[in-house]
mmCIF file of all heavy atoms in Angstrom:
data_model
loop_
_atom_site.group_PDB
_atom_site.id
_atom_site.type_symbol
_atom_site.label_atom_id
_atom_site.label_comp_id
_atom_site.label_asym_id
_atom_site.label_seq_id
_atom_site.Cartn_x
_atom_site.Cartn_y
_atom_site.Cartn_z
ATOM 1 N N TRP A 9 112.328 104.683 70.638
ATOM 2 C CA TRP A 9 112.257 106.033 70.116
ATOM 3 C C TRP A 9 111.291 106.856 71.084
ATOM 4 O O TRP A 9 110.206 106.355 71.483
ATOM 5 C CB TRP A 9 111.673 106.009 68.729
ATOM 6 C CG TRP A 9 112.537 105.470 67.687
ATOM 7 C CD1 TRP A 9 112.900 104.213 67.571
ATOM 8 C CD2 TRP A 9 113.282 106.261 66.693
ATOM 9 N NE1 TRP A 9 113.796 104.084 66.454
ATOM 10 C CE2 TRP A 9 114.020 105.322 65.924
ATOM 11 C CE3 TRP A 9 113.322 107.597 66.369
ATOM 12 C CZ2 TRP A 9 114.780 105.723 64.902
ATOM 13 C CZ3 TRP A 9 114.142 107.983 65.284
ATOM 14 C CH2 TRP A 9 114.890 107.043 64.554
ATOM 15 N N ALA A 10 111.683 108.086 71.400
ATOM 16 C CA ALA A 10 110.837 109.022 71.991
ATOM 17 C C ALA A 10 110.238 109.847 70.907
ATOM 18 O O ALA A 10 110.920 110.429 70.019
ATOM 19 C CB ALA A 10 111.671 109.916 72.955
ATOM 20 N N ASP A 11 108.945 109.913 70.851
ATOM 21 C CA ASP A 11 108.224 110.555 69.700
ATOM 22 C C ASP A 11 107.180 111.503 70.197
ATOM 23 O O ASP A 11 106.148 111.127 70.797
ATOM 24 C CB ASP A 11 107.607 109.404 68.854
ATOM 25 C CG ASP A 11 107.110 110.000 67.490
ATOM 26 O OD1 ASP A 11 106.883 111.216 67.404
ATOM 27 O OD2 ASP A 11 107.016 109.196 66.518
ATOM 28 N N PRO A 12 107.409 112.787 70.077
ATOM 29 C CA PRO A 12 106.465 113.845 70.496
ATOM 30 C C PRO A 12 105.212 113.910 69.680
ATOM 31 O O PRO A 12 104.239 114.557 70.043
ATOM 32 C CB PRO A 12 107.283 115.123 70.359
ATOM 33 C CG PRO A 12 108.163 114.884 69.245
ATOM 34 C CD PRO A 12 108.604 113.423 69.379
ATOM 35 N N ASN A 13 105.177 113.108 68.559
ATOM 36 C CA ASN A 13 104.028 113.159 67.672
ATOM 37 C C ASN A 13 103.012 112.033 67.936
ATOM 38 O O ASN A 13 102.068 111.923 67.267
ATOM 39 C CB ASN A 13 104.498 113.079 66.184
ATOM 40 C CG ASN A 13 105.498 114.271 65.879
ATOM 41 O OD1 ASN A 13 105.181 115.410 66.228
ATOM 42 N ND2 ASN A 13 106.562 113.908 65.241
ATOM 43 N N VAL A 14 103.281 111.204 68.873
ATOM 44 C CA VAL A 14 102.390 110.045 69.127
ATOM 45 C C VAL A 14 101.786 110.146 70.541
ATOM 46 O O VAL A 14 102.451 110.771 71.449
ATOM 47 C CB VAL A 14 103.174 108.708 69.020
ATOM 48 C CG1 VAL A 14 103.652 108.500 67.650
ATOM 49 C CG2 VAL A 14 104.218 108.497 70.061
ATOM 50 N N GLU A 15 100.646 109.611 70.729
ATOM 51 C CA GLU A 15 99.950 109.621 72.027
ATOM 52 C C GLU A 15 99.834 108.204 72.606
ATOM 53 O O GLU A 15 99.336 108.087 73.689
ATOM 54 C CB GLU A 15 98.588 110.283 71.875
ATOM 55 C CG GLU A 15 98.671 111.753 71.505
ATOM 56 C CD GLU A 15 97.298 112.419 71.427
ATOM 57 O OE1 GLU A 15 96.273 111.659 71.585
ATOM 58 O OE2 GLU A 15 97.214 113.621 71.176
ATOM 59 N N ARG A 16 100.230 107.212 71.815
ATOM 60 C CA ARG A 16 100.103 105.854 72.300
ATOM 61 C C ARG A 16 101.429 105.198 72.318
ATOM 62 O O ARG A 16 102.399 105.628 71.664
ATOM 63 C CB ARG A 16 99.177 105.034 71.333
ATOM 64 C CG ARG A 16 97.785 105.590 71.269
ATOM 65 C CD ARG A 16 96.844 104.778 70.395
ATOM 66 N NE ARG A 16 95.459 105.301 70.427
ATOM 67 C CZ ARG A 16 94.395 104.663 69.914
ATOM 68 N NH1 ARG A 16 94.619 103.563 69.313
ATOM 69 N NH2 ARG A 16 93.164 105.197 69.978
ATOM 70 N N ASN A 17 101.569 104.151 73.074
ATOM 71 C CA ASN A 17 102.777 103.301 73.130
ATOM 72 C C ASN A 17 102.735 102.282 72.014
ATOM 73 O O ASN A 17 101.788 101.447 71.937
ATOM 74 C CB ASN A 17 102.847 102.508 74.469
ATOM 75 C CG ASN A 17 102.836 103.496 75.631
ATOM 76 O OD1 ASN A 17 103.415 104.553 75.593
ATOM 77 N ND2 ASN A 17 102.184 103.111 76.732
ATOM 78 N N ILE A 18 103.624 102.440 71.051
ATOM 79 C CA ILE A 18 103.622 101.642 69.778
ATOM 80 C C ILE A 18 104.732 100.607 69.834
ATOM 81 O O ILE A 18 105.936 101.038 69.975
ATOM 82 C CB ILE A 18 103.689 102.612 68.540
ATOM 83 C CG1 ILE A 18 102.565 103.637 68.582
ATOM 84 C CG2 ILE A 18 103.620 101.728 67.269
ATOM 85 C CD1 ILE A 18 102.685 104.655 67.546
ATOM 86 N N HIS A 19 104.400 99.441 69.618
ATOM 87 C CA HIS A 19 105.427 98.336 69.533
ATOM 88 C C HIS A 19 105.333 97.596 68.181
ATOM 89 O O HIS A 19 104.214 97.123 67.902
ATOM 90 C CB HIS A 19 105.250 97.345 70.701
ATOM 91 C CG HIS A 19 105.245 97.926 72.031
ATOM 92 N ND1 HIS A 19 106.322 98.626 72.593
ATOM 93 C CD2 HIS A 19 104.223 98.058 72.962
ATOM 94 C CE1 HIS A 19 105.989 99.056 73.803
ATOM 95 N NE2 HIS A 19 104.740 98.731 74.011
ATOM 96 N N ARG A 20 106.397 97.523 67.401
ATOM 97 C CA ARG A 20 106.394 96.799 66.188
ATOM 98 C C ARG A 20 107.443 95.680 66.298
ATOM 99 O O ARG A 20 108.581 95.871 66.686
ATOM 100 C CB ARG A 20 106.706 97.684 65.026
ATOM 101 C CG ARG A 20 106.753 96.923 63.701
ATOM 102 C CD ARG A 20 106.771 97.835 62.452
ATOM 103 N NE ARG A 20 106.770 96.992 61.230
ATOM 104 C CZ ARG A 20 105.656 96.556 60.721
ATOM 105 N NH1 ARG A 20 104.466 96.785 61.218
ATOM 106 N NH2 ARG A 20 105.710 95.844 59.545
ATOM 107 N N ILE A 21 106.998 94.452 65.890
ATOM 108 C CA ILE A 21 107.823 93.269 66.036
ATOM 109 C C ILE A 21 107.972 92.657 64.679
ATOM 110 O O ILE A 21 106.982 92.540 63.906
ATOM 111 C CB ILE A 21 107.135 92.286 66.982
ATOM 112 C CG1 ILE A 21 106.965 92.872 68.381
ATOM 113 C CG2 ILE A 21 108.052 91.021 67.120
ATOM 114 C CD1 ILE A 21 105.954 92.141 69.261
ATOM 115 N N GLU A 22 109.203 92.183 64.291
ATOM 116 C CA GLU A 22 109.448 91.452 63.101
ATOM 117 C C GLU A 22 110.191 90.192 63.449
ATOM 118 O O GLU A 22 111.202 90.230 64.164
ATOM 119 C CB GLU A 22 110.241 92.298 62.105
ATOM 120 C CG GLU A 22 109.534 93.530 61.646
ATOM 121 C CD GLU A 22 110.272 94.355 60.648
ATOM 122 O OE1 GLU A 22 111.390 93.963 60.275
ATOM 123 O OE2 GLU A 22 109.763 95.474 60.229
ATOM 124 N N VAL A 23 109.713 89.090 63.048
ATOM 125 C CA VAL A 23 110.246 87.815 63.310
ATOM 126 C C VAL A 23 110.533 86.988 61.994
ATOM 127 O O VAL A 23 109.663 86.997 61.118
ATOM 128 C CB VAL A 23 109.304 86.935 64.203
ATOM 129 C CG1 VAL A 23 109.909 85.550 64.445
ATOM 130 C CG2 VAL A 23 109.000 87.655 65.503
ATOM 131 N N ASP A 24 111.729 86.459 61.897
ATOM 132 C CA ASP A 24 112.058 85.572 60.787
ATOM 133 C C ASP A 24 112.476 84.271 61.303
ATOM 134 O O ASP A 24 113.422 84.116 62.090
ATOM 135 C CB ASP A 24 113.265 86.227 60.002
ATOM 136 C CG ASP A 24 113.648 85.348 58.777
ATOM 137 O OD1 ASP A 24 112.714 84.773 58.175
ATOM 138 O OD2 ASP A 24 114.853 85.281 58.483
ATOM 139 N N ALA A 25 111.730 83.170 60.911
ATOM 140 C CA ALA A 25 111.994 81.828 61.490
ATOM 141 C C ALA A 25 111.829 80.816 60.332
ATOM 142 O O ALA A 25 111.445 81.156 59.264
ATOM 143 C CB ALA A 25 110.968 81.499 62.581
ATOM 144 N N ASP A 26 112.268 79.640 60.604
ATOM 145 C CA ASP A 26 112.187 78.577 59.594
ATOM 146 C C ASP A 26 110.765 78.107 59.331
ATOM 147 O O ASP A 26 110.477 77.501 58.274
ATOM 148 C CB ASP A 26 113.091 77.376 59.953
ATOM 149 C CG ASP A 26 112.650 76.649 61.176
ATOM 150 O OD1 ASP A 26 111.790 77.195 61.888
ATOM 151 O OD2 ASP A 26 113.126 75.537 61.499
ATOM 152 N N SER A 27 109.864 78.486 60.215
ATOM 153 C CA SER A 27 108.502 78.056 60.044
ATOM 154 C C SER A 27 107.601 79.183 59.479
ATOM 155 O O SER A 27 106.539 78.917 58.905
ATOM 156 C CB SER A 27 107.926 77.613 61.392
ATOM 157 O OG SER A 27 108.003 78.680 62.348
ATOM 158 N N ALA A 28 107.971 80.413 59.706
ATOM 159 C CA ALA A 28 107.211 81.581 59.276
ATOM 160 C C ALA A 28 107.961 82.820 59.421
ATOM 161 O O ALA A 28 108.909 82.951 60.245
ATOM 162 C CB ALA A 28 105.894 81.690 60.087
ATOM 163 N N SER A 29 107.597 83.826 58.652
ATOM 164 C CA SER A 29 108.063 85.237 58.822
ATOM 165 C C SER A 29 106.896 86.023 59.069
ATOM 166 O O SER A 29 105.930 85.993 58.281
ATOM 167 C CB SER A 29 108.917 85.710 57.562
ATOM 168 O OG SER A 29 110.124 84.961 57.428
ATOM 169 N N PHE A 30 106.916 86.867 60.108
ATOM 170 C CA PHE A 30 105.731 87.671 60.402
ATOM 171 C C PHE A 30 106.134 89.025 61.068
ATOM 172 O O PHE A 30 107.215 89.108 61.741
ATOM 173 C CB PHE A 30 104.727 86.954 61.210
ATOM 174 C CG PHE A 30 105.256 86.269 62.445
ATOM 175 C CD1 PHE A 30 105.196 86.877 63.722
ATOM 176 C CD2 PHE A 30 105.856 84.981 62.385
ATOM 177 C CE1 PHE A 30 105.727 86.236 64.847
ATOM 178 C CE2 PHE A 30 106.298 84.335 63.472
ATOM 179 C CZ PHE A 30 106.218 84.975 64.776
ATOM 180 N N SER A 31 105.248 89.979 60.904
ATOM 181 C CA SER A 31 105.449 91.290 61.564
ATOM 182 C C SER A 31 104.137 91.692 62.194
ATOM 183 O O SER A 31 103.023 91.363 61.702
ATOM 184 C CB SER A 31 105.907 92.353 60.563
ATOM 185 O OG SER A 31 104.909 92.499 59.517
ATOM 186 N N MET A 32 104.255 92.424 63.332
ATOM 187 C CA MET A 32 103.107 92.762 64.064
ATOM 188 C C MET A 32 103.334 94.196 64.694
ATOM 189 O O MET A 32 104.446 94.592 64.929
ATOM 190 C CB MET A 32 102.882 91.812 65.271
ATOM 191 C CG MET A 32 102.826 90.355 64.820
ATOM 192 S SD MET A 32 102.898 89.213 66.272
ATOM 193 C CE MET A 32 104.578 89.342 66.714
ATOM 194 N N GLU A 33 102.169 94.950 64.798
ATOM 195 C CA GLU A 33 102.329 96.236 65.449
ATOM 196 C C GLU A 33 101.074 96.432 66.337
ATOM 197 O O GLU A 33 99.914 96.107 65.969
ATOM 198 C CB GLU A 33 102.341 97.317 64.423
ATOM 199 C CG GLU A 33 102.394 98.762 65.054
ATOM 200 C CD GLU A 33 102.628 99.876 64.036
ATOM 201 O OE1 GLU A 33 103.661 99.903 63.369
ATOM 202 O OE2 GLU A 33 101.641 100.647 63.898
ATOM 203 N N ILE A 34 101.278 96.921 67.511
ATOM 204 C CA ILE A 34 100.201 97.306 68.434
ATOM 205 C C ILE A 34 100.368 98.698 68.936
ATOM 206 O O ILE A 34 101.526 99.153 69.188
ATOM 207 C CB ILE A 34 100.195 96.308 69.627
ATOM 208 C CG1 ILE A 34 98.941 96.475 70.479
ATOM 209 C CG2 ILE A 34 101.404 96.398 70.460
ATOM 210 C CD1 ILE A 34 98.711 95.481 71.531
ATOM 211 N N GLN A 35 99.279 99.437 69.079
ATOM 212 C CA GLN A 35 99.256 100.859 69.498
ATOM 213 C C GLN A 35 98.422 100.876 70.775
ATOM 214 O O GLN A 35 97.211 100.748 70.750
ATOM 215 C CB GLN A 35 98.777 101.805 68.494
ATOM 216 C CG GLN A 35 99.562 101.754 67.180
ATOM 217 C CD GLN A 35 99.159 102.886 66.246
ATOM 218 O OE1 GLN A 35 98.429 103.811 66.624
ATOM 219 N NE2 GLN A 35 99.587 102.754 64.967
ATOM 220 N N ASN A 36 99.076 100.922 71.909
ATOM 221 C CA ASN A 36 98.408 100.820 73.218
ATOM 222 C C ASN A 36 98.011 102.199 73.764
ATOM 223 O O ASN A 36 98.763 103.134 73.758
ATOM 224 C CB ASN A 36 99.256 100.179 74.231
ATOM 225 C CG ASN A 36 99.552 98.666 73.900
ATOM 226 O OD1 ASN A 36 98.663 97.993 73.330
ATOM 227 N ND2 ASN A 36 100.770 98.197 74.094
ATOM 228 N N ILE A 37 96.741 102.235 74.259
ATOM 229 C CA ILE A 37 96.284 103.463 74.911
ATOM 230 C C ILE A 37 96.773 103.512 76.353
ATOM 231 O O ILE A 37 96.543 102.591 77.131
ATOM 232 C CB ILE A 37 94.777 103.506 74.888
ATOM 233 C CG1 ILE A 37 94.284 103.527 73.470
ATOM 234 C CG2 ILE A 37 94.267 104.788 75.646
ATOM 235 C CD1 ILE A 37 92.748 103.416 73.354
ATOM 236 N N PRO A 38 97.557 104.517 76.758
ATOM 237 C CA PRO A 38 98.152 104.595 78.100
ATOM 238 C C PRO A 38 97.024 104.712 79.145
ATOM 239 O O PRO A 38 95.902 105.225 78.923
ATOM 240 C CB PRO A 38 98.977 105.832 78.080
ATOM 241 C CG PRO A 38 99.228 106.118 76.638
ATOM 242 C CD PRO A 38 98.007 105.672 75.893
ATOM 243 N N THR A 39 97.398 104.266 80.390
ATOM 244 C CA THR A 39 96.500 104.500 81.489
ATOM 245 C C THR A 39 96.856 105.896 82.085
ATOM 246 O O THR A 39 97.570 106.666 81.469
ATOM 247 C CB THR A 39 96.772 103.471 82.622
ATOM 248 O OG1 THR A 39 98.118 103.524 83.058
ATOM 249 C CG2 THR A 39 96.586 102.014 82.065
ATOM 250 N N GLU A 40 96.363 106.214 83.297
ATOM 251 C CA GLU A 40 96.795 107.424 83.942
ATOM 252 C C GLU A 40 98.246 107.464 84.215
ATOM 253 O O GLU A 40 98.873 108.454 84.398
ATOM 254 C CB GLU A 40 96.013 107.647 85.223
ATOM 255 C CG GLU A 40 96.229 106.569 86.294
ATOM 256 C CD GLU A 40 95.329 105.328 86.098
ATOM 257 O OE1 GLU A 40 94.627 105.272 85.095
ATOM 258 O OE2 GLU A 40 95.479 104.404 86.983
ATOM 259 N N ASN A 41 98.871 106.289 84.242
ATOM 260 C CA ASN A 41 100.318 106.139 84.273
ATOM 261 C C ASN A 41 100.799 105.978 82.830
ATOM 262 O O ASN A 41 100.647 104.994 82.231
ATOM 263 C CB ASN A 41 100.733 104.895 85.119
ATOM 264 C CG ASN A 41 102.264 104.665 85.047
ATOM 265 O OD1 ASN A 41 103.036 105.461 84.524
ATOM 266 N ND2 ASN A 41 102.695 103.575 85.684
ATOM 267 N N PRO A 42 101.507 107.013 82.282
ATOM 268 C CA PRO A 42 101.867 107.043 80.920
ATOM 269 C C PRO A 42 102.872 105.972 80.501
ATOM 270 O O PRO A 42 103.130 105.678 79.322
ATOM 271 C CB PRO A 42 102.470 108.423 80.710
ATOM 272 C CG PRO A 42 102.944 108.875 82.020
ATOM 273 C CD PRO A 42 101.971 108.277 83.008
ATOM 274 N N LYS A 43 103.458 105.274 81.539
ATOM 275 C CA LYS A 43 104.444 104.262 81.216
ATOM 276 C C LYS A 43 103.869 102.953 80.849
ATOM 277 O O LYS A 43 104.548 102.031 80.423
ATOM 278 C CB LYS A 43 105.425 104.094 82.412
ATOM 279 C CG LYS A 43 106.296 105.301 82.734
ATOM 280 C CD LYS A 43 107.129 105.087 83.950
ATOM 281 C CE LYS A 43 108.192 106.220 84.158
ATOM 282 N NZ LYS A 43 107.497 107.419 84.419
#
């Protein structure tokens, strides 16, 4: 998603496995290179 309302790179992960189900989110502060 391209989001004009965020200033950080946000990654959300959802995993469903036979050993565990888990979700994670990280909001990364960009460097001088916004990528």
Side-chain angles (χ1 to χ4, degrees):
W9 291 72
D11 193 336
N13 303 314
V14 301
E15 296 182 354
R16 299 184 177 188
N17 302 323
I18 303 172
H19 306 294
R20 181 170 180 81
I21 302 161
E22 297 183 2
V23 178
D24 180 35
D26 64 348
S27 59
S29 294
F30 50 96
S31 60
M32 307 169 283
E33 181 176 291
I34 187 169
Q35 300 187 16
N36 295 324
I37 300 173
T39 62
E40 63 277 3
N41 173 4
K43 293 180 174 62

